[in-house]
Amino acid sequence: MKTLLYAFVLVIFFSCNSNKNDEILTYTTDTTLGLSRVNLKEISNKIPVDKILKEKKNLQAEEKLFLQLVNKPGESGIDIDKPLYFIVDQGKTNSEFDAKAFMWINDKAKFQTSMSNLTKSKVTIDNKDNILINGQLVGNMKGEMAIMVSEKAYNPYGGYNSMNSSMPQGSERINAQYFTDFWARKGTKNASIKEQINKSLVGDKDVSGWVNLAAVASFASKGYIETLAINKLIKDSGIGFDFNFDKGKAEMSTNTFFNSDMKKIVEKYYDKNKVNYDLVKNVELDNAKSYTIGFFSLDFMKYLVKEAGFEATINHYLASSNKSLEDITSTFTGDYAFVDFKVKQDTTDYYNYRSDNAIILGFNPKNKATLTSLMDQYLTSAGKKYMVTDNEVIVSDNAEVLSQFQTKKEGKNASLDKKSGIMSYSWSDGKDYNQKDNATVKIINMVNESKEEGGNLVSKSTFTLDKKDENALYYLLMND
């Protein structure tokens, strides 16, 4: 759940008024990593920009740019009847991003004045339609269309490339040719990508986004994925996101766009949307700060491992225990639950933070001997404790949790909402995140549910705050 929360803000930078995205599609290529679209008219009324700029001292450059662009856009010379886009491409190397803001400026004079005031610097547009901040080139216009870019490329593996002279950075990366190349590049002709973008970047959400799954996989693997058979399953695939922010609540939805081959595989191995809630019947969920219950197809995992060419490697690793990948996938059912319990801390020292959790897995009773052999070899040798019942196994260091599970004493689970028609359900009280960031506005409930739908994976997350007078977006921006 924490990862989902952090992703909420991150995707804004990864990630209006109609669903047509023809103009941005003109500059979206097959290797573009992702796009996002912001409904300026709506979102500018939800973010107290002046308050955030005053209160938050550690704003990153991209956060400042985002806030500056959405601050009173109607008075800034930006055409708010057009979307504000963020487009993320691969950088000059295979370990850096190249992110740009894409917008329409219909009043250059207002834009220069407004942006100068916001940035506390001199923003100008010269006679070649270059956008400069204190004389440094940061953007360019073509008609009313404009792009602006950070002065540094971002390296996901090591932060900004300010310390590595071998990486393109600053003025070396952003020059007149950089913008000439952008305006001249040819957009994708891939009908699937265009369809995914138009379905993802929608006008009835505050922020919406799309990630090019195949391009991201290639980028992350530095091109290795293309050498594997599994590459055919992610070809022409993507993930769509959308966000809505209201007072006291935020919602996030995701949807995959798999190709026809992958959809068939997903439908084959995820032929049911059903959560086995009996896994946590004998666990005290009302004493948990977070939990997740769901189903993961091990046959699906086995198929992907084979397609990726890793089956022999895994079997070689398991050979010392006389086990194989087949032994594992046939032993466990794929039903799982993870529970993180509330713990009274003995100290405020972060490094002495105690955790208390449990993992519950369903297994095939016919393979009980294989299960106990795996547990003994890989868990007890690491000092972990487990308990086996008829068709479930629990791993926990908490003796009370193990005892209750063994004696099948029913747990107090009033917080559990047994949703049907889904394949996973998660809940958290948000306290870990609130305490870590010392937030004045706190999350009191985080819920996520996901399901398989026509070969695609769909999920929805809802974040509820303890105050209704603050917009959730303000909270996320202040506490990321």
Side-chain angles (χ1 to χ4, degrees), residues 6 21 29 31 138 155 173 178 187 213 221 226 228-229 237 261 263 268 283 314 336 353 364 374 383 427 441 473:
Y6 297 145
N21 301 281
T29 70
T31 58
V138 298
N155 179 347
R173 187 175 71 92
Y178 174 91
L213 189 58
S221 68
E226 281 92 340
L228 304 176
S237 295
D261 288 341
K263 284 181 181 178
K268 177 180 179 181
V283 178
I314 293 175
Y336 68 89
Y353 180 87
N364 184 346
L374 286 167
W427 175 90
V441 180
L473 186 53

Side-chain angles (χ1 to χ4, degrees), residues 318-358:
L318 294 171
S320 60
S321 58
N322 295 317
K323 302 295 185 300
S324 66
L325 179 62
E326 176 64 30
D327 291 329
I328 294 175
T329 56
S330 62
T331 295
F332 296 99
T333 63
D335 297 307
Y336 68 89
F338 178 83
V339 184
D340 198 5
F341 296 102
K342 300 172 186 175
V343 178
K344 289 184 179 180
Q345 296 304 316
D346 299 325
T347 173
T348 57
D349 184 354
Y350 177 79
Y351 295 100
N352 288 326
Y353 180 87
R354 285 199 302 124
S355 63
D356 186 2
N357 51 55

Side-chain angles (χ1 to χ4, degrees), residues 227-252:
T227 67
L228 304 176
I230 197 174
N231 189 56
K232 68 182 181 182
L233 297 177
I234 61 173
K235 190 177 185 299
D236 296 337
S237 295
I239 303 173
F241 302 84
D242 62 65
F243 306 87
N244 250 14
F245 305 98
D246 296 305
K247 287 187 176 182
K249 185 175 72 171
E251 293 182 340
M252 167 185 171

Side-chain angles (χ1 to χ4, degrees), residues 13 75-76 132 134-135 164 187 190 216 226 256 259 290 340 362 387 411 437 461-462 469:
F13 301 107
E75 301 173 18
S76 67
L132 304 100
N134 292 333
N164 189 342
N190 189 318
V216 169
E226 281 92 340
T256 62
N259 61 36
S290 66
D340 198 5
M387 188 68 62
D437 292 278
S461 301
T462 302
D469 56 341

Side-chain angles (χ1 to χ4, degrees), residues 288-325:
K289 52 188 176 182
S290 66
Y291 55 81
T292 299
I293 311 167
F295 169 76
F296 177 76
S297 173
L298 293 167
D299 288 330
F300 178 68
M301 180 193 73
K302 181 173 65 175
Y303 177 85
L304 293 182
V305 166
K306 287 183 176 180
E307 288 295 300
F310 296 141
E311 184 180 19
T313 302
I314 293 175
N315 282 334
H316 177 73
Y317 172 77
L318 294 171
S320 60
S321 58
N322 295 317
K323 302 295 185 300
S324 66
L325 179 62

